[in-house]
Each structure stands twice: as structure tokens, then as C-alpha cells.
Amino acid sequence: PMGYVRLIAIVSVDGISRNEVRLSGWVDVFGPALCSVRSMQKGEIIEKSDVYLARKNISRMSSSILTDKSMAVGLVLKNNLNENASLKEWMLKRNPTIDRGDRVTILAELGGLKVTVPGKTLAKGFVGDVIRVQNSMSRKNIFARIIDNATVAVEF
């Protein structure tokens, strides 16, 4: 149990139940919490050196508290963050691999044939996402899967 709890204690004498006592109170639980090394600004990308694990009273924190560096490294802050503040899931977002308007290489492969053309992204997205891309040569809009920050692939 963690946080505010209610329980009933049974008082027994020589193995015979004599009375029940109702109790309530706050149970503190200490565990790892990911904290900021320094004050950080909205939009900054979290690096390993920006965070550390500290033993904190997690019973009064939300369940969205982060407990491992890998849960935050590479993510972007949604808000400003004070030094030694505990990080929570809702404070961070993924950094898009590709932004709208980025120049990319459109890759099309079929069997042993490989064709590449320049293109421009029409949406932002992450690796694995399918987004709209404009073929710079034909000016046609197509859908392609994001491979990395400079390449998208057309799927047949």
C-alpha cells in the first residue's frame, strides 16, 4: 500500500479475537525518481548528462514519474524545468525525425531496381511513420515511410 490508506487491525489475546480498530494514515514509499541536473528550457532535448536518479518519496508523486534515464534521453521538454525537479511522462515529447518542409531523398526499390529522387516533406513525423511527400521532379504528392532524417521510402 502507498499513499493514504485505511485498514482494520484485529486485536487478539491468546489467539482469540477481542476487538477491531480502524486505522488510517499516510504510507510513504521511497524509490528512484529521475531528476534534472540543471534548469532547462522548453524545447531542449534531454541528454544523459542532464538527468540523474535520486531516492525520493514517490508516494506523493503521480504514477507518471520517470524512473530510468532511458525513458527521457532524446525526448524534448514541453515546459521549462527547474534544477532538481522530478521528471514525469507528460513533461516530455518525442522529437520528430522529419519536419514539414525538409528536403529528403525518396527511395523506391523493387527487386534489384533502386530509384532515388529528391523530395520535400509535407508533414512532420517519426521513423516508421507514413507521411505525404512531394516528388521535386514530378511535383506529385505521394505517401512514403520515414527511414531516417534524410530518407523516405515508397512502398509498393
Side-chain angles (χ1 to χ4, degrees):
M2 178 169 77
Y4 184 77
V5 295
R6 295 179 186 190
L7 56 99
I8 299 173
I10 299 172
V11 180
S12 60
V13 178
D14 296 329
I16 301 170
S17 179
R18 298 287 185 194
N19 199 2
E20 288 184 359
V21 179
R22 295 182 187 277
L23 302 170
S24 62
W26 193 269
V27 176
D28 287 331
V29 175
F30 288 81
L34 197 62
C35 300
S36 61
V37 169
R38 60 182 176 86
S39 294
M40 299 179 72
Q41 300 299 311
K42 175 183 178 178
E44 281 191 61
I45 297 173
I46 303 286
E47 296 179 16
K48 276 188 176 183
S49 60
D50 293 327
V51 291
Y52 68 96
L53 278 175
R55 188 170 185 265
K56 290 200 169 199
N57 182 354
I58 59 173
S59 58
R60 295 183 189 259
M61 295 182 183
S62 69
S63 61
S64 66
I65 190 78
L66 299 179
T67 58
D68 188 80
K69 283 187 177 188
S70 66
M71 299 169 85
V73 172
L75 299 181
V76 178
L77 281 172
K78 289 183 181 178
N79 303 313
N80 295 341
L81 189 65
N82 293 330
E83 182 178 346
N84 297 319
S86 298
L87 279 90
K88 296 158 190 78
E89 290 176 21
W90 59 267
M91 295 176 168
L92 305 169
K93 64 181 179 179
R94 288 180 19 189
N95 192 19
T97 307
I98 288 181
D99 283 318
R100 180 185 170 110
D102 284 354
R103 299 285 175 198
V104 293
T105 299
I106 301 171
L107 171 66
E109 287 183 286
L110 188 58
L113 181 62
K114 179 178 176 180
V115 178
T116 61
V117 293
K120 182 175 92 172
T121 59
L122 301 175
K124 67 180 178 180
F126 305 95
V127 171
D129 289 351
V130 175
I131 61 169
R132 280 184 358 150
V133 180
Q134 184 181 64
N135 180 325
S136 297
M137 296 179 82
S138 69
R139 300 280 185 231
K140 289 188 178 184
N141 294 343
I142 57 172
F143 287 95
R145 184 171 306 281
I146 300 172
I147 304 301
D148 57 35
N149 65 346
T151 312
V152 296
V154 177
E155 297 176 353
F156 294 100

